[in-house]
PDB file of all heavy atoms in Angstrom:
ATOM      1  N   PRO A 114     101.747 114.591  90.618  1.00 97.00           N
ATOM      2  CA  PRO A 114     101.694 113.490  89.651  1.00 97.00           C
ATOM      3  C   PRO A 114     102.759 112.428  89.905  1.00 97.00           C
ATOM      4  O   PRO A 114     102.468 111.228  89.795  1.00 97.00           O
ATOM      5  CB  PRO A 114     101.922 114.175  88.291  1.00 97.00           C
ATOM      6  CG  PRO A 114     101.643 115.614  88.525  1.00 97.00           C
ATOM      7  CD  PRO A 114     101.921 115.896  89.972  1.00 97.00           C
ATOM      8  N   ALA A 115     103.986 112.824  90.237  1.00 98.00           N
ATOM      9  CA  ALA A 115     105.035 111.811  90.402  1.00 98.00           C
ATOM     10  C   ALA A 115     104.712 110.884  91.585  1.00 98.00           C
ATOM     11  O   ALA A 115     104.876 109.657  91.492  1.00 98.00           O
ATOM     12  CB  ALA A 115     106.388 112.486  90.606  1.00 98.00           C
ATOM     13  N   ALA A 116     104.217 111.457  92.674  1.00 98.00           N
ATOM     14  CA  ALA A 116     103.907 110.628  93.853  1.00 98.00           C
ATOM     15  C   ALA A 116     102.717 109.721  93.584  1.00 98.00           C
ATOM     16  O   ALA A 116     102.724 108.536  93.945  1.00 98.00           O
ATOM     17  CB  ALA A 116     103.629 111.524  95.064  1.00 98.00           C
ATOM     18  N   THR A 117     101.688 110.255  92.926  1.00 97.00           N
ATOM     19  CA  THR A 117     100.484 109.437  92.727  1.00 97.00           C
ATOM     20  C   THR A 117     100.653 108.465  91.553  1.00 97.00           C
ATOM     21  O   THR A 117      99.972 107.448  91.507  1.00 97.00           O
ATOM     22  CB  THR A 117      99.232 110.318  92.535  1.00 97.00           C
ATOM     23  OG1 THR A 117      99.474 111.244  91.472  1.00 97.00           O
ATOM     24  CG2 THR A 117      98.910 111.086  93.797  1.00 97.00           C
ATOM     25  N   ASP A 118     101.583 108.760  90.641  1.00 95.00           N
ATOM     26  CA  ASP A 118     101.909 107.746  89.620  1.00 95.00           C
ATOM     27  C   ASP A 118     102.695 106.604  90.261  1.00 95.00           C
ATOM     28  O   ASP A 118     102.528 105.437  89.907  1.00 95.00           O
ATOM     29  CB  ASP A 118     102.763 108.342  88.496  1.00 95.00           C
ATOM     30  CG  ASP A 118     101.933 109.213  87.562  1.00 95.00           C
ATOM     31  OD1 ASP A 118     100.694 109.205  87.713  1.00 95.00           O
ATOM     32  OD2 ASP A 118     102.530 109.896  86.713  1.00 95.00           O
ATOM     33  N   ALA A 119     103.574 106.943  91.200  1.00 96.00           N
ATOM     34  CA  ALA A 119     104.397 105.920  91.858  1.00 96.00           C
ATOM     35  C   ALA A 119     103.539 105.029  92.756  1.00 96.00           C
ATOM     36  O   ALA A 119     103.755 103.822  92.829  1.00 96.00           O
ATOM     37  CB  ALA A 119     105.508 106.580  92.672  1.00 96.00           C
ATOM     38  N   VAL A 120     102.572 105.637  93.447  1.00 97.00           N
ATOM     39  CA  VAL A 120     101.677 104.882  94.345  1.00 97.00           C
ATOM     40  C   VAL A 120     100.246 105.354  94.053  1.00 97.00           C
ATOM     41  O   VAL A 120      99.695 106.192  94.770  1.00 97.00           O
ATOM     42  CB  VAL A 120     102.025 105.115  95.833  1.00 97.00           C
ATOM     43  CG1 VAL A 120     101.141 104.267  96.735  1.00 97.00           C
ATOM     44  CG2 VAL A 120     103.490 104.790  96.121  1.00 97.00           C
ATOM     45  N   PRO A 121      99.609 104.816  92.991  1.00 95.00           N
ATOM     46  CA  PRO A 121      98.277 105.311  92.612  1.00 95.00           C
ATOM     47  C   PRO A 121      97.226 105.165  93.719  1.00 95.00           C
ATOM     48  O   PRO A 121      96.268 105.937  93.767  1.00 95.00           O
ATOM     49  CB  PRO A 121      97.915 104.450  91.393  1.00 95.00           C
ATOM     50  CG  PRO A 121      99.226 104.023  90.814  1.00 95.00           C
ATOM     51  CD  PRO A 121     100.147 103.871  91.986  1.00 95.00           C
ATOM     52  N   LEU A 122      97.439 104.201  94.616  1.00 97.00           N
ATOM     53  CA  LEU A 122      96.479 104.047  95.717  1.00 97.00           C
ATOM     54  C   LEU A 122      96.365 105.322  96.554  1.00 97.00           C
ATOM     55  O   LEU A 122      95.315 105.623  97.110  1.00 97.00           O
ATOM     56  CB  LEU A 122      96.917 102.872  96.609  1.00 97.00           C
ATOM     57  CG  LEU A 122      96.004 102.513  97.773  1.00 97.00           C
ATOM     58  CD1 LEU A 122      94.597 102.154  97.305  1.00 97.00           C
ATOM     59  CD2 LEU A 122      96.599 101.374  98.585  1.00 97.00           C
ATOM     60  N   LEU A 123      97.464 106.083  96.604  1.00 97.00           N
ATOM     61  CA  LEU A 123      97.465 107.338  97.353  1.00 97.00           C
ATOM     62  C   LEU A 123      96.402 108.293  96.825  1.00 97.00           C
ATOM     63  O   LEU A 123      95.641 108.879  97.586  1.00 97.00           O
ATOM     64  CB  LEU A 123      98.815 108.025  97.180  1.00 97.00           C
ATOM     65  CG  LEU A 123      99.836 107.975  98.282  1.00 97.00           C
ATOM     66  CD1 LEU A 123     101.024 108.828  97.889  1.00 97.00           C
ATOM     67  CD2 LEU A 123      99.247 108.401  99.614  1.00 97.00           C
ATOM     68  N   ARG A 124      96.386 108.431  95.506  1.00 94.00           N
ATOM     69  CA  ARG A 124      95.451 109.389  94.930  1.00 94.00           C
ATOM     70  C   ARG A 124      94.012 108.961  95.184  1.00 94.00           C
ATOM     71  O   ARG A 124      93.170 109.756  95.595  1.00 94.00           O
ATOM     72  CB  ARG A 124      95.683 109.529  93.424  1.00 94.00           C
ATOM     73  CG  ARG A 124      94.818 110.602  92.834  1.00 94.00           C
ATOM     74  CD  ARG A 124      94.870 110.686  91.334  1.00 94.00           C
ATOM     75  NE  ARG A 124      93.720 111.469  90.912  1.00 94.00           N
ATOM     76  CZ  ARG A 124      93.667 112.779  90.915  1.00 94.00           C
ATOM     77  NH1 ARG A 124      94.699 113.468  91.272  1.00 94.00           N
ATOM     78  NH2 ARG A 124      92.572 113.408  90.570  1.00 94.00           N
ATOM     79  N   GLU A 125      93.757 107.645  94.993  1.00 95.00           N
ATOM     80  CA  GLU A 125      92.380 107.175  95.179  1.00 95.00           C
ATOM     81  C   GLU A 125      91.951 107.322  96.640  1.00 95.00           C
ATOM     82  O   GLU A 125      90.818 107.705  96.932  1.00 95.00           O
ATOM     83  CB  GLU A 125      92.255 105.723  94.725  1.00 95.00           C
ATOM     84  CG  GLU A 125      90.819 105.348  94.483  1.00 95.00           C
ATOM     85  CD  GLU A 125      90.667 104.035  93.738  1.00 95.00           C
ATOM     86  OE1 GLU A 125      91.570 103.171  93.822  1.00 95.00           O
ATOM     87  OE2 GLU A 125      89.650 103.880  93.065  1.00 95.00           O
ATOM     88  N   ALA A 126      92.872 107.030  97.552  1.00 97.00           N
ATOM     89  CA  ALA A 126      92.546 107.182  98.979  1.00 97.00           C
ATOM     90  C   ALA A 126      92.301 108.653  99.323  1.00 97.00           C
ATOM     91  O   ALA A 126      91.350 108.991 100.037  1.00 97.00           O
ATOM     92  CB  ALA A 126      93.679 106.619  99.831  1.00 97.00           C
ATOM     93  N   LEU A 127      93.154 109.527  98.796  1.00 97.00           N
ATOM     94  CA  LEU A 127      93.027 110.954  99.131  1.00 97.00           C
ATOM     95  C   LEU A 127      91.745 111.553  98.553  1.00 97.00           C
ATOM     96  O   LEU A 127      91.204 112.512  99.111  1.00 97.00           O
ATOM     97  CB  LEU A 127      94.259 111.710  98.641  1.00 97.00           C
ATOM     98  CG  LEU A 127      95.515 111.486  99.498  1.00 97.00           C
ATOM     99  CD1 LEU A 127      96.774 111.895  98.743  1.00 97.00           C
ATOM    100  CD2 LEU A 127      95.409 112.249 100.819  1.00 97.00           C
ATOM    101  N   ASP A 128      91.248 110.987  97.450  1.00 96.00           N
ATOM    102  CA  ASP A 128      89.962 111.459  96.914  1.00 96.00           C
ATOM    103  C   ASP A 128      88.845 111.323  97.948  1.00 96.00           C
ATOM    104  O   ASP A 128      87.857 112.057  97.905  1.00 96.00           O
ATOM    105  CB  ASP A 128      89.561 110.640  95.682  1.00 96.00           C
ATOM    106  CG  ASP A 128      90.310 111.053  94.429  1.00 96.00           C
ATOM    107  OD1 ASP A 128      90.941 112.127  94.435  1.00 96.00           O
ATOM    108  OD2 ASP A 128      90.263 110.287  93.440  1.00 96.00           O
ATOM    109  N   TRP A 129      88.994 110.341  98.848  1.00 96.00           N
ATOM    110  CA  TRP A 129      87.947 110.093  99.844  1.00 96.00           C
ATOM    111  C   TRP A 129      88.130 110.932 101.096  1.00 96.00           C
ATOM    112  O   TRP A 129      87.259 110.929 101.977  1.00 96.00           O
ATOM    113  CB  TRP A 129      87.963 108.616 100.244  1.00 96.00           C
ATOM    114  CG  TRP A 129      87.471 107.672  99.197  1.00 96.00           C
ATOM    115  CD1 TRP A 129      88.232 106.816  98.460  1.00 96.00           C
ATOM    116  CD2 TRP A 129      86.121 107.456  98.782  1.00 96.00           C
ATOM    117  NE1 TRP A 129      87.429 106.082  97.613  1.00 96.00           N
ATOM    118  CE2 TRP A 129      86.124 106.461  97.787  1.00 96.00           C
ATOM    119  CE3 TRP A 129      84.894 108.020  99.157  1.00 96.00           C
ATOM    120  CZ2 TRP A 129      84.971 106.004  97.167  1.00 96.00           C
ATOM    121  CZ3 TRP A 129      83.741 107.567  98.531  1.00 96.00           C
ATOM    122  CH2 TRP A 129      83.782 106.568  97.554  1.00 96.00           C
ATOM    123  N   VAL A 130      89.274 111.600 101.263  1.00 96.00           N
ATOM    124  CA  VAL A 130      89.535 112.312 102.527  1.00 96.00           C
ATOM    125  C   VAL A 130      88.777 113.635 102.561  1.00 96.00           C
ATOM    126  O   VAL A 130      89.050 114.548 101.785  1.00 96.00           O
ATOM    127  CB  VAL A 130      91.041 112.582 102.722  1.00 96.00           C
ATOM    128  CG1 VAL A 130      91.285 113.453 103.953  1.00 96.00           C
ATOM    129  CG2 VAL A 130      91.819 111.273 102.848  1.00 96.00           C
ATOM    130  N   ALA A 131      87.800 113.729 103.431  1.00 95.00           N
ATOM    131  CA  ALA A 131      87.134 114.991 103.764  1.00 95.00           C
ATOM    132  C   ALA A 131      86.724 115.792 102.531  1.00 95.00           C
ATOM    133  O   ALA A 131      86.334 115.236 101.502  1.00 95.00           O
ATOM    134  CB  ALA A 131      88.032 115.802 104.692  1.00 95.00           C
TER     135      ALA A 131
END
Side-chain angles (χ1 to χ4, degrees):
T117 54
D118 285 352
V120 183
L122 183 59
L123 257 185
R124 185 187 164 82
E125 198 167 26
L127 285 162
D128 282 346
W129 289 108
V130 174

